[in-house]
Amino acid sequence: MTLFPSPIFLTLAALLTLLFTGLAGAGVVGRRPSLASFFFTLLSLESLAIALSGLLPLVTTSDTRLILPGGIPGLSFHLRLDPLSGFFLLLLGGASAGVLLYSAGYTKNEAPEKKAQFLAKTTVFLFFTGGVFLAADVYSFMLFWEIMAVASFFLILSGENTEGVRRASYLTLLLAHGGSMLIVTAFALLATRELPSGSLTMASFSFEALKMNHLSSGEALLVSLLFLLGFGAKAGVVPLHVWLPLAHPAAPAPASALLSGVMLKAAIYGLIRALFDLVGLPQLAPSFGILLLVTGAFMALFGILHAILQSDTKTLLAYSSIENIGLILLGTGLGILYLKTGHPLAGTLALCAALYHALNHAFFKALLFLGAGTMIHATGETNLNRMGGLFKKMPVSGALVLIAVLSISGIPPTNGFVSEWLLLQSTLQARDLLGTIQRSAVLFGAAILVLASALAAMGFLKFFGVGYLGQPRSDGARAAHECSLFERLGMGGLAMGSLFLGLFPSLVLGEILKAVSPLTSTTLPSPSGAYGWAWLLPLPPAGPSTSPLFLLLLLVILTLPVLWLVLGTEGKKRRLSIPWGCGYRDSYRRSQATAESFAQPIRHFFPVFFSMKRHLPSPDDPDPVFLLSVEDPHWPLLYRPLFRLFVAIAEGAERVRSGRISIYLIYSFTTLILLLSVLRWH
Amino acid sequence: MAASFVSPPTSPLVGFLGSALLLSSFAMLSMRRMASLVRIFALQGILLTLSTLSVALAAGEPHLFFSALFTLAFKVLLLPILLFRLLERLHIRGEVEVLLNVPTTMVVGLFVVVFSFALAAPISEMANTVSRGLIGVGLAALLLSFLMMITRRKAVTQVLGFLGMENALFFSAINATYGMPMVVELGVAFDVLVGTFVFGIFFFQIRETFESFDLKHMDNTPTE
């Protein structure tokens, strides 16, 4: 026995404390609303504790297990805290600490019941998501996974009670359940391939036992595909992403921050755990890696193009989440491809880059959603075209959002730069490693990666420019005010996290490596020499290198003379004018570039990605109307035809419905007899 | 063809209990009084308990003892008591009403049994349990109960047919693979219990609405 309790106990204790604090808080806040801030702050600290307990297995590379007796004989909860789970718990704790602190300010003006409900929903969601990371058998994994899905449904519902919100949350639940069915099917296939004869017991559903599977290559591909689609439905993999752009705007800001920052990552965790740990690296096919890579690349491009076109703040962020999940999948696919073609170093690097990006995305996307929440609260508007000029009104939160904007655009020295740089470096390892087809797929992915990053910068230039710069575009924007202290603190915490992840990449990569190397059974060589913490050299001794700290220094040195030039001209050649005035001398707000005008070139260059309806009035139209609507092409091309097909089938099936119970029973009886006969005598 | 009907050897006790179960299924099909129907259902529960016990002893599968215990508690005690109370409170005494007369049903039942045995032959060859010869019996009992659901008019008889099907399913599972996993078994047991409760509530509702239990009142006949 050691003096120190095992890490999994600490994690479990941290998670349970969070759950009980949240539920107790929900009980108390209903009667004493003034205590809400206290409880949110407490929960935020407890989230930090979860993050620390997740850091522990990474630092010590420990792998602890625990079997808790369940309610039913033979079905106990297998839990396991290995470095990979620890990494995702760190992500969960870190991102939710900021979000919970922010919620203290965000829910300030809500009714007491709403506050209490939000406390309960958030903590239940966080607890069971944490449980997903710990689960080590199919039963507990699916239990936690399903409760997480249902909690996310309720989180979305905590927005306004409108038809749109209800539809969005229902669609989310529908796709989540469809996905769960595929996941369970995949688990079942794995479990039946594990033992020679059909002696299936509950013990064979633990992850340990599932690892012992011996799938044929075709079966392994099928199981991998099922996992991709199943987890993809929750991660927003195109074409199963349609719930995402509806759900995120419907939920209140802290909820969308958690959904995008944490829940999408839970799906990524599930996919990585299932592919690398359960199906097992030896069984994975290189072609599946290519599939994942191409899917990721397509998602990245599709997501960011649609993001640029959105004028609604949160819809824009939601599509950008699709882009980022695409980048993570791209890295994962790349990792599989490298590892399966005998390049373990490059594969490990790609997987590290993917996880690094997942962590970064959790921080900056949560920060962006919180920022969008402050914008919406301050102006009472959700459309970017009715914001504008907010930076002067909200300098602190604006600066924090700017950090996130720089991160997501991949601009040094932020964390987005580091992970995208790592992803790009790992794609460039293809230059002399792989066969022609594989190499071209990887390089195609690299090109899309660069394109998507550049487009992301464009999209977020639009987000920040139209929202925060220029002049106020509506009365709401003119009356905007800075958000509360709690909100700024929560956002500040996330921004600090983002900056840390950006400035000390070697430290972070070292920890992520500990989560990845058990999966790939490879570790990257550690860089020798001084200043290793400041200089990122993922493939020493010769490979590519960068240093965000150095770049920051360079940026400061280059900016100072410009600043001096600008400020030094005071009184001489300086002319003050209205921002974004387009040369007009008077304040003419409508002449500012709009959100749509930012998007117009993209719409023009990439028409295949959109389903557009335009109506241009003719010159002699007495009542001219200009109309343009852009839609996700998956609705008219895939989902609506599918719905129509279902309705048609249902209407056809209606004919056999006589309404007599005996007839129905005879239907089942004859079907049973026929099926059995076919089975017996072919 | 005839060769495939021959069942593999089984222990005499298990075989006897299996044939008694099949006989009880036929008895349910031919019974005309409601109360006797419930009594036969309880008897079927006892047979099921005994055969589970004997398979458990013959095969040395300890978890089957639990199954036997559950069967005794649910199917011999709880459900028949519930059903008797239901009959009493609803004042059901009379005859079972049939859609198809009893002799014809019995003849159809005979064909069903032959069909089941022919169907079960290859499964019996594959299974490696001590009582694999009885899979056909389970299948036959299942289809006979189904037949009862089709040919009876009153809602209560349909519930008994449904419960009989569940019994047969359980019997087949025991004999083919020494029972389903414990979770499945428990789940099914609870389903059946809840189902009976729901049916009970449903009966009261039907009587409130139609003052009769004839299923024709529940038919969705469009009004002209």
Side-chain angles (χ1 to χ4, degrees), chain A residues 150-419:
Chain A
V150 173
S152 72
F153 165 78
F154 283 111
L155 269 178
I156 296 166
L157 266 186
S158 49
E160 291 158 63
N161 187 7
T162 62
E163 182 64 31
V165 171
R166 282 197 295 272
R167 268 179 58 107
S169 50
Y170 180 68
L171 190 65
T172 309
L173 197 63
L174 190 72
L175 276 163
H177 276 291
S180 303
M181 264 160 54
L182 298 180
I183 298 171
V184 170
T185 315
F187 276 138
L189 277 174
L190 267 181
T192 50
R193 282 293 171 276
E194 152 204 324
L195 294 159
S197 66
S199 57
L200 205 62
T201 59
M202 282 332 279
S204 47
F205 281 100
S206 77
F207 282 1
E208 279 306 304
L210 291 186
K211 273 188 211 173
M212 305 295 156
N213 69 77
H214 35 78
L215 297 166
S216 69
S217 60
E219 289 165 342
L221 195 62
L222 177 70
V223 170
S224 317
L225 269 177
L226 284 173
F227 275 129
L228 174 62
L229 287 175
F231 287 115
K234 207 98 195 92
V237 168
V238 175
L240 303 171
H241 67 288
V242 285
W243 61 275
L244 216 143
L246 295 178
H248 285 184
S256 14
L258 286 181
L259 293 184
S260 180
V262 178
M263 193 183 71
L264 300 185
K265 306 308 172 320
I268 295 291
Y269 164 80
L271 189 64
I272 288 180
R273 172 69 77 196
L275 291 181
F276 286 86
D277 212 13
L278 302 185
V279 177
L281 196 56
Q283 320 261 34
L284 288 176
S287 56
F288 185 72
I290 295 186
L291 175 77
L292 212 55
L293 183 125
V294 172
T295 312
F298 177 75
M299 275 174 71
L301 192 59
F302 177 87
I304 197 59
L305 286 175
H306 271 270
I308 294 178
L309 247 69
Q310 304 305 318
S311 303
D312 184 273
T313 42
K314 282 192 188 165
T315 317
L316 189 154
L317 295 179
Y319 271 113
S320 137
S321 293
I322 296 177
E323 181 228 341
N324 284 286
I325 295 294
L327 294 183
I328 296 167
L329 289 187
L330 190 149
T332 314
L334 202 59
I336 294 175
L337 184 57
Y338 281 135
L339 289 166
K340 291 302 290 183
T341 49
H343 308 292
L345 278 185
T348 309
L349 179 64
L351 209 56
C352 282
L355 285 189
Y356 204 143
H357 197 69
L359 186 61
N360 288 340
H361 182 246
F363 276 86
F364 61 60
K365 187 49 69 65
L367 180 51
L368 280 169
F369 268 112
L370 299 185
T374 62
M375 290 160 85
I376 292 167
H377 256 191
T379 59
E381 305 283 351
T382 57
N383 195 312
L384 281 174
N385 282 324
R386 300 191 52 84
M387 293 179 176
L390 295 181
F391 199 75
K392 277 186 186 154
K393 309 270 169 54
M394 320 169 66
V396 178
S397 57
L400 295 173
V401 169
L402 185 61
I403 291 176
V405 164
L406 292 177
S407 296
I408 201 168
S409 311
I411 290 169
T414 58
N415 56 352
F417 163 72
V418 176
S419 51

Side-chain angles (χ1 to χ4, degrees), chain A residues 12-27 29 36 38-48 50 89 92 96-97 99-101 103 114-132 144 147-152 154-155 158 254-255 258-259 262:
Chain A
L12 212 56
L15 280 170
L16 283 171
T17 320
L18 180 91
L19 181 68
F20 287 121
T21 314
L23 294 181
V29 165
F38 166 74
F39 274 107
F40 276 119
T41 316
L42 194 61
L43 286 173
S44 163
L45 291 175
E46 286 166 7
S47 295
L48 276 183
I50 294 175
L89 281 166
L92 174 134
S96 60
V99 174
L100 286 167
L101 197 57
S103 307
K114 276 239 160 186
K115 278 186 196 175
Q117 281 175 14
F118 192 72
L119 261 171
K121 287 173 187 172
T122 326
T123 42
V124 168
F125 169 78
L126 286 174
F127 177 79
F128 285 101
T129 313
V132 168
F144 293 142
I147 299 181
M148 178 191 82
V150 173
S152 72
F154 283 111
L155 269 178
S158 49
L258 286 181
L259 293 184
V262 178

Side-chain angles (χ1 to χ4, degrees), chain A residues 72 75 202 657 659-662 665-666 668-669 672-673 676-677 680-681, chain B residues 1 99 115 118-119 122 143 146-147 149-150 158 183 186 215 218-220:
Chain A
I72 305 171
L75 269 185
M202 282 332 279
R657 205 177 70 103
R660 287 192 52 124
I661 289 166
S662 303
L665 287 173
I666 289 173
S668 340
F669 191 71
L672 186 67
I673 296 278
L676 286 173
S677 311
R680 173 72 174 85
W681 294 280
Chain B
M1 202 65 199
L99 286 173
F115 173 80
L119 195 71
L143 291 177
F146 206 150
L147 203 59
M149 283 181 81
I150 295 177
Q158 301 228 317
V183 204
L186 276 179
L215 277 179
M218 285 154 74
D219 292 351
N220 179 15

